[in-house]
Amino acid sequence: PSHSQVMWVQAHGALEDLLVDEHPPTAPRPLKDRLQVFQGLATFYLKYLQIFRSLEAVYDQIVHPQKRRMVRHVLDGVMGRILELKNEMVELEFSEFHYFDDVLQDLKLTPEDLEVPIPQYFVRERMRVLRDREKMLAHVMEVSVQTMCLEEAVRVLQVCERARQGRLRHRFMKEIRQAEEEGSQAKSQTPISTLDPDQAATRIQKVWRGYSQRKRTRRERLEEMVFLGMVGVLQRPSVAQLKAQQVETTRRLVQEENEAEYQRALVSIKESVRTVDGPDLRETLQEQIRQWFIECRDATGKFPDFPNAEDGGSTAIFAQKTPDQLTNTPFLFLCSSHFCS
């Protein structure tokens, strides 16, 4: 079996066990301790979250359209249950934030397992809607932008250029003034006395050691930030990563092709049933309706009234009726008993 099938079997088994734990055969005694109630809800919440991760991965990897619909149905149900448990915890603690330290330790999970991932199909299946929205926003921005004539554009450029030249001139004059002030101060100071070679070497060593230590600290800090995932490092993708991206792209194309083929098959099979099997089914039903009329005539001495459209028409003849319905309509009870016999 493939990896997705193994994940589906494991997720399905875990979901069945969780449903048994959540709805035991014998009703448990109600808990009065708020902490115990919260721990129970938190345990179910984390377990459903793990199942949700597995089902989302299975739905992303399966290419069979019917299987994808079945997994999607279960996945939607699990997401709904997660929202229900979250709402129950909020109503219990009157807070949106919860502490799962004890539960995480009991289940041997990490804080990363608390993060609720966004299903990939949320964006992928709404890609067309998002693209249309982007096009609409781009069109609105183009319409809202005011066009300028040539003279106005030239005037705006001249103002910006003059402002830039003024800033450059101000900075240049400031540098000249600072240089003149430094030169005057240097002339007014007494000549610097020569240092002893040992003192000069000590100062050079002090400056160099400070520079090297700051450089080493920056490098270690960057390595720590990369290790913690707070800073991304641009690295060339490996061969395995390129292969995984290629497989994912191919899987997306196969999913789209299978979905399109499935939609075409739905239309073609429906038309085939209507054209090939439709006449035979229609003849069989008409024969049963005629037989029903004949049996009712033999039982009552007259033909019954055909059910009107409000009662369902001919479908009322084939519908399974409850004993109360048959008691309220003795005529249909008599005819139905003959027809069923």
Side-chain angles (χ1 to χ4, degrees):
S2 62
H3 180 63
S4 59
Q5 292 178 350
V6 173
M7 291 181 62
W8 163 249
V9 172
Q10 294 176 353
H12 188 267
L15 185 59
E16 287 183 344
D17 297 338
L18 187 57
L19 290 176
V20 172
D21 295 339
E22 194 171 4
H23 303 284
T26 58
R29 299 178 60 183
L31 299 176
K32 297 182 180 180
D33 188 1
R34 177 178 294 182
L35 180 60
Q36 293 181 358
V37 175
F38 172 77
Q39 289 181 349
L41 293 176
T43 303
F44 287 136
Y45 176 80
L46 292 177
K47 289 184 178 180
Y48 272 113
L49 194 58
Q50 297 302 311
I51 295 174
F52 164 69
R53 292 175 181 270
S54 301
L55 291 177
E56 199 274 331
V58 171
Y59 181 78
D60 184 64
Q61 296 180 9
I62 288 180
V63 298
H64 198 282
Q66 287 91 338
K67 290 183 179 180
R68 284 174 60 84
R69 278 167 169 76
M70 184 265 295
V71 175
R72 175 68 178 274
H73 182 71
V74 179
L75 184 59
D76 292 341
V78 171
M79 287 191 294
R81 184 55 185 154
I82 290 176
L83 294 177
E84 291 177 355
L85 291 172
K86 177 65 176 179
N87 184 43
E88 291 180 6
M89 289 189 295
V90 170
E91 292 181 350
L92 180 64
E93 292 199 327
F94 303 103
S95 175
E96 293 283 345
F97 303 97
H98 313 288
Y99 297 95
F100 300 96
D101 299 344
D102 297 339
V103 183
L104 287 176
Q105 186 175 3
D106 294 340
L107 298 178
K108 294 179 174 59
L109 299 176
T110 62
E112 294 181 355
D113 297 324
L114 287 174
E115 298 181 0
V116 181
I118 300 176
Q120 299 183 11
Y121 66 87
F122 275 10
V123 179
R124 189 172 62 252
E125 294 182 358
R126 299 182 64 240
M127 188 62 66
R128 182 177 302 176
V129 178
L130 296 177
R131 289 176 181 174
D132 294 340
R133 184 181 302 172
E134 291 179 357
K135 291 180 180 179
M136 182 184 66
L137 292 176
H139 178 69
V140 171
M141 293 297 295
E142 291 178 359
V143 173
S144 60
V145 173
Q146 299 178 357
T147 58
M148 295 187 296
C149 60
L150 181 59
E151 292 78 5
E152 188 177 357
V154 171
R155 186 168 58 254
V156 171
L157 291 176
Q158 289 177 350
V159 171
C160 295
E161 179 63 21
R162 289 172 182 172
R164 186 186 69 85
Q165 293 179 1
R167 289 191 295 270
L168 289 176
R169 188 179 300 106
H170 171 72
R171 185 173 60 185
F172 180 68
M173 296 301 295
K174 183 178 180 181
E175 291 177 355
I176 292 176
R177 191 183 307 109
Q178 290 178 354
E180 292 178 352
E181 292 178 355
E182 292 176 358
S184 61
Q185 291 177 1
K187 291 180 180 179
S188 62
Q189 292 178 355
T190 58
I192 302 175
S193 60
T194 57
L195 293 175
D196 183 69
D198 295 336
Q199 294 180 356
T202 302
R203 291 188 180 184
I204 294 174
Q205 290 177 359
K206 180 176 63 174
V207 174
W208 170 252
R209 288 176 180 175
Y211 167 75
S212 61
Q213 182 60 38
R214 287 191 297 270
K215 186 177 179 180
R216 187 184 302 110
T217 302
R218 285 195 298 267
R219 185 177 65 251
E220 292 178 355
R221 182 175 181 273
L222 179 60
E223 293 177 354
E224 183 179 3
M225 297 291 283
V226 172
F227 176 74
L228 296 175
M230 301 179 66
V231 175
V233 180
L234 297 179
Q235 297 179 352
R236 297 183 60 184
S238 62
V239 179
Q241 292 176 344
L242 294 176
K243 183 65 175 178
Q245 293 177 0
Q246 183 180 2
V247 171
E248 183 179 0
T249 304
T250 305
R251 185 171 66 245
R252 297 282 184 268
L253 295 176
V254 173
Q255 289 176 353
E256 294 178 358
E257 293 175 358
N258 291 348
E259 181 64 24
E261 184 180 358
Y262 175 72
Q263 296 296 334
R264 291 193 298 268
L266 288 178
V267 178
S268 60
I269 292 174
K270 185 176 180 180
E271 293 295 331
S272 176
V273 170
R274 181 178 299 173
T275 56
V276 178
D277 300 335
D280 296 337
L281 294 174
R282 188 182 301 109
E283 183 65 26
T284 301
L285 294 176
Q286 289 177 353
E287 181 64 27
Q288 293 180 1
I289 292 174
R290 285 193 292 268
Q291 183 68 22
W292 178 77
F293 271 96
I294 293 174
E295 291 184 358
C296 288
R297 184 200 60 181
D298 296 340
T300 61
K302 62 179 182 178
F303 288 105
D305 296 331
F306 195 82
N308 52 25
E310 296 178 356
D311 296 334
S314 60
T315 57
I317 301 175
F318 303 98
Q320 296 290 337
K321 298 184 179 300
T322 62
D324 296 337
Q325 294 175 342
L326 295 176
T327 304
N328 296 331
T329 56
F331 175 70
L332 287 177
F333 171 72
L334 180 61
C335 297
S336 299
S337 60
H338 281 272
F339 179 70
C340 294
S341 62

